[in-house]
C-alpha cells in the first residue's frame, strides 16, 4: 500500500488462493491496512492480488517478503523464500530489480536467492539487479509504519544499490544506505536479538524482585529517569510473534554454521520460554487457600496487544502448563475468534483467578474486579487497582 500511495502499480502475489480472493474482495488481513485503503487501491486499478507468477513479467521491481520461520529443529526454514524465488525467476524481465525483504541470516541474498534466480531465470535476460531491504514493521504501532520507519537498503553491486535506493526512497521517508547486503541482514538480526536479550534480562530481574516484595515495574520506571544509557523493557509471559522468538535463532544457527556459539541468545531464549512457569506460580498464589483444582481465566491470548495474531504466542505455554498442573483453563480475547481449536468463554462467573496476559481492548477487567476475582496483571496496565497484582 505504501508503493500504491507513491504512485506505483502493484501486484500482490501470493500462493494462497484464499488470501488472494480475500484481498481482491477488499478484505485486508493486515491490522494496519484498513479495508477502505485496500478497496480504493483496488478500485483505482493501482493494486490487485494474484497467484499467477506470470504477472511478474511486467514488473520493474519484485520484492520478496514471504515468511521465514523455524523448522521443527528450531533452525531456519527457507522453504517459502526458496519457493517464491524459484517461482518468480522464470518471469523476471530484463533489467528487473529483485529485493529480498524477508528476515534471514547474513549471506541469504548472495548464497541462496541469487543462485536460485541465476539457475531459473529466462535465458533472454541480460541483466538483473539484486538487493536486500529487511522488512521493518511493528504491527499495531500507531506511530511507526512502513513509510516513516527508516529503511536499510543494500545492493549486490553499485547499479543494484542505486536502483534499490531509488525504489525505497519512493516509498519511505528515510532510506539508510548500507555497505553490503550481509550488513543489512545482520542488522535486522541484531535489532530483534537486542529485544530478546533485554526482555530476557527484565524477566530474570522480575523473578529476583518478586520474592523480595519489590514491584519490578516501579524499578523500571525509576531506572527510566536516567536520561542516558538505559532503555526500558517490560516483563511479561514471554515473547511471541514471528520475529522476536524466531530471528535470534537464525543468528544462533548462522553462528553454529561458522563453528561459533551465541550463549547470550540461548540464555535469553531459555529465560523467556520459561517465564510462563513463574507467571502461573504467581497467579495460583492469588487464589483462596486450599484451592486444588482451579478454574483459571486467561485474558488476552494474541502475541501482543492490539493484534489478532497468535503465532508463537507465549500464552500457549502458560495455558499448557496450567492444564498440565491439573487446572481448568478458559480464555477471552476480543480480537481472537478461536485459538488452539478452542472457543473463548462468555462466562465470567466462578473463576478462581484471572491472568491478564495481553491487554487487549474490551476485556472485562472491571466486571471481574466487581466480582472479586483476583487478577494477575502481567502487563502493568492496572497497577494499584483493587484486586489486581502486577508481576
Ligand atoms: N509481520 C511482521 O511484523 C514482520 C516484521 C518484520 C519483518 N518481518 C519479516 O517479513 C517476512 C514476512 O513475514 P509476514 O509476517 O508478513 O509473513 P506472513 O506469514 O504474513 O506471510 C506473508 C504471505 O506470504 C505468502 N506466502 C508464503 N509462501 C509463499 C510463496 N512461496 N509464494 C508466494 N507467497 C507465499 C503467505 O500466503 C502470506 O500471505 C518474514 O521474513 C518476517 O520475518 C515480518
Amino acid at each position: 500500500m505504501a508503493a500504491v500511495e507513491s504512485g506505483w502499480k502493484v501486484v500482490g502475489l501470493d500462493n494462497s488462493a484464499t488470501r488472494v480472493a480475500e484481498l481482491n474482495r477488499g478484505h485486508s488481513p493486515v491490522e494496519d491496512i484498513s479495508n477502505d485503503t485496500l478497496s480504493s487501491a483496488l478500485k483505482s486499478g493501482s493494486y490487485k492480488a494474484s497467484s499467477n507468477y506470470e504477472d511478474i513479467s511486467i514488473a520493474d521491481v519484485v520484492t520478496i517478503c514471504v515468511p521465514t520461520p523455524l523448522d521443527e529443529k528450531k533452525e531456519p526454514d527457507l522453504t517459502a523464500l526458496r519457493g517464491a524465488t524459484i517461482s518468480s525467476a522464470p518471469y523476471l524481465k530484463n533489467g528487473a530489480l529483485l529485493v529480498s525483504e524477508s528476515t534471514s541470516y547474513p549471506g541469504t541474498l548472495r548464497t541462496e536467492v541469487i543462485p536460485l534466480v541465476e539457475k531459473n531465470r529466462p535465458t533472454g535476460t541480460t541483466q538483473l539487479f539484486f538487493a536486500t531491504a529487511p522488512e521493518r514493521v511493528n504491527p499495531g504501532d500507531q506511530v511507526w509504519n512502513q513509510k516513516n520507519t527508516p529503511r536499510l537498503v543494500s545492493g549486490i553491486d553499485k547499479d543494484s544499490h542505486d536502483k534499490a535506493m531509488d525504489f525505497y526512497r519512493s516509498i519511505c521517508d528515510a532510506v539508510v544506505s548500507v555497505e553490503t547486503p550481509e550488513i543489512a541482514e545482520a542488522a535486522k538480526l541484531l535489532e530483534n536479538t537486542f529485544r530478546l536479550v533485554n526482555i530476557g534480562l527484565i524477566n530474570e530481574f522480575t523473578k529476583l524482585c518478586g520474592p523480595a516484595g519489590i514491584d519490578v515495574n516501579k524499578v523500571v520506571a525509576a531506572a527510566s529517569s536516567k536520561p542516558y544509557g538505559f532503555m526500558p523493557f517490560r516483563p511479561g509471559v514471554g515473547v511471541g510473534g514471528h520475529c522476536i522468538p524466531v530471528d535470534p535463532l537464525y543468528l544462533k544457527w548462522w553462528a553454529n554454521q561458522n563453528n561459533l556459539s551465541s550463549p547470550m541468545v540461548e540464555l535469553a531464549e531459555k529465560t523467556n520460554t520459561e517465564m510462563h512457569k513463574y507467571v502461573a506460580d504467581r497467579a495460583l498464589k492469588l487464589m483462596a487457600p486450599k484451592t486444588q483444582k482451579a478454574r483459571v481465566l486467561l485474558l488476552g491470548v494474541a502475541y501482543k496487544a492490539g493484534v489478532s495474531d497468535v503465532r508463537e504466542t507465549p500464552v500457549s505455554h502458560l495455558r499448557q502448563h496450567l492444564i498440565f498442573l491439573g487446572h481448568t483453563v478458559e480464555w477471552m480475547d476480543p480480537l481472537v475468534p478461536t485459538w488452539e481449536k478452542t472457543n473463548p468463554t462468555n462466562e465470567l462467573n466462578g473463576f478462581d483467578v484471572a491472568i491478564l496476559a495481553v491487554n487487549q481492548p474490551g476485556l472485562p477487567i472491571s466486571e471481574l474486579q466487581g466480582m472479586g476475582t483476583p487478577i494477575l496483571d502481567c502487563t502493568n496496565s492496572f497497577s494499584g487497582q483493587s484486586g489486581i497484582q502486577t508481576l
Side-chain angles (χ1 to χ4, degrees):
M1 287 302 110
V4 166
E5 274 158 34
S6 308
W8 289 84
K9 211 168 169 182
V10 179
V11 178
L13 201 85
D14 205 295
N15 66 355
S16 157
T18 320
R19 175 61 53 97
V20 168
E22 183 186 27
L23 284 162
N24 282 332
R25 274 203 310 274
H27 187 269
S28 167
V30 177
E31 273 97 357
D32 302 322
I33 305 285
S34 71
N35 290 346
D36 285 350
T37 303
L38 175 61
S39 297
S40 67
L42 287 162
K43 226 177 268 167
S44 70
S46 48
Y47 176 79
K48 72 165 183 180
S50 165
S51 40
N52 184 0
Y53 276 90
E54 275 177 38
D55 283 328
I56 284 182
S57 57
I58 54 158
D60 297 305
V61 181
V62 177
T63 68
I64 298 187
C65 34
V66 294
T68 41
L70 298 169
D71 64 16
E72 65 292 338
K73 288 192 285 179
K74 289 194 147 199
E75 291 182 354
D77 178 358
L78 297 189
T79 312
L81 182 60
R82 291 188 185 116
T85 306
I86 291 168
S87 304
S88 310
Y91 301 104
L92 289 168
K93 76 171 183 184
N94 204 27
L97 167 69
L98 184 122
V99 188
S100 174
E101 293 198 357
S102 292
T103 305
S104 188
Y105 51 84
T108 300
L109 178 74
R110 202 182 296 271
T111 63
E112 288 286 343
V113 175
I114 295 177
L116 285 175
V117 173
E118 293 299 346
K119 213 166 136 192
N120 296 284
R121 66 194 261 170
T123 43
T125 50
T126 50
Q127 193 160 26
L128 293 173
F129 301 95
F130 298 97
T132 192
E135 187 173 310
R136 265 179 173 170
V137 289
N138 187 21
D141 194 320
Q142 301 301 314
V143 177
W144 296 106
N145 53 48
Q146 157 82 34
K147 188 161 192 308
N148 66 7
T149 304
R151 191 67 180 245
L152 302 181
V153 172
S154 187
I156 202 77
D157 51 37
K158 182 167 183 327
D159 290 343
S160 299
H161 191 82
D162 292 348
K163 269 181 176 273
M165 290 292 287
D166 284 349
F167 172 66
Y168 284 98
R169 274 198 198 104
S170 79
I171 67 166
C172 301
D173 294 343
V175 181
V176 181
S177 168
V178 178
E179 222 166 287
T180 65
E182 286 75 13
I183 294 175
E185 290 162 335
K188 175 70 197 182
L189 297 190
L190 174 62
E191 291 161 21
N192 284 346
T193 303
F194 174 83
R195 287 188 61 78
L196 181 92
V197 168
N198 278 289
I199 294 168
L201 174 65
I202 211 66
N203 278 336
E204 179 178 291
F205 210 86
T206 302
K207 291 195 215 170
L208 303 180
C209 286
I214 299 170
D215 182 337
V216 70
N217 293 290
K218 292 186 176 152
V219 178
V220 174
S224 299
S225 64
K226 190 179 177 187
Y228 53 88
F230 184 79
M231 184 183 282
F233 284 82
R234 313 278 169 208
V237 182
V239 291
H242 29 282
C243 293
I244 311 297
V246 173
D247 303 352
L249 298 186
Y250 271 63
L251 180 68
K252 178 185 158 195
W253 179 87
W254 176 67
N256 293 162
Q257 296 307 296
N258 296 326
N259 296 320
L260 298 167
S261 64
S262 51
M264 210 176 272
V265 171
E266 289 171 39
L267 185 58
E269 200 226 346
K270 185 169 179 287
T271 308
N272 293 327
T273 308
E274 288 180 351
M275 192 61 188
H276 64 273
K277 292 183 188 159
Y278 177 77
V279 169
D281 193 46
R282 286 282 306 271
L284 296 174
K285 285 194 175 122
L286 297 181
M287 299 186 311
K290 296 195 185 136
T291 312
Q292 294 289 325
K293 298 289 172 204
R295 258 188 94 209
V296 183
L297 177 60
L298 298 179
L299 299 165
V301 302
Y303 84 87
K304 70 172 186 175
V307 304
S308 58
D309 198 339
V310 291
R311 286 184 288 181
E312 315 281 340
T313 175
V315 193
S316 260
H317 297 296
L318 179 60
R319 176 172 178 267
Q320 283 150 20
H321 182 62
L322 288 163
I323 293 171
F324 173 76
L325 294 177
H327 305 298
T328 303
V329 183
E330 295 175 51
W331 63 276
M332 261 181 202
D333 188 320
L335 299 184
V336 180
T338 60
W339 174 55
E340 302 196 330
K341 299 188 180 135
T342 58
N343 293 319
T345 181
N346 297 318
E347 188 56 62
L348 290 184
N349 279 312
F351 286 101
D352 297 296
V353 65
I355 303 174
L356 176 59
V358 180
N359 189 21
Q360 295 284 47
L363 287 168
I365 304 296
S366 53
E367 288 89 329
L368 288 162
Q369 279 176 294
M371 296 165 96
T373 310
I375 300 174
L376 178 68
D377 174 7
C378 304
T379 70
N380 196 35
S381 307
F382 299 92
S383 172
Q385 292 196 15
S386 85
I388 295 192
Q389 268 215 13
T390 49
L391 270 182

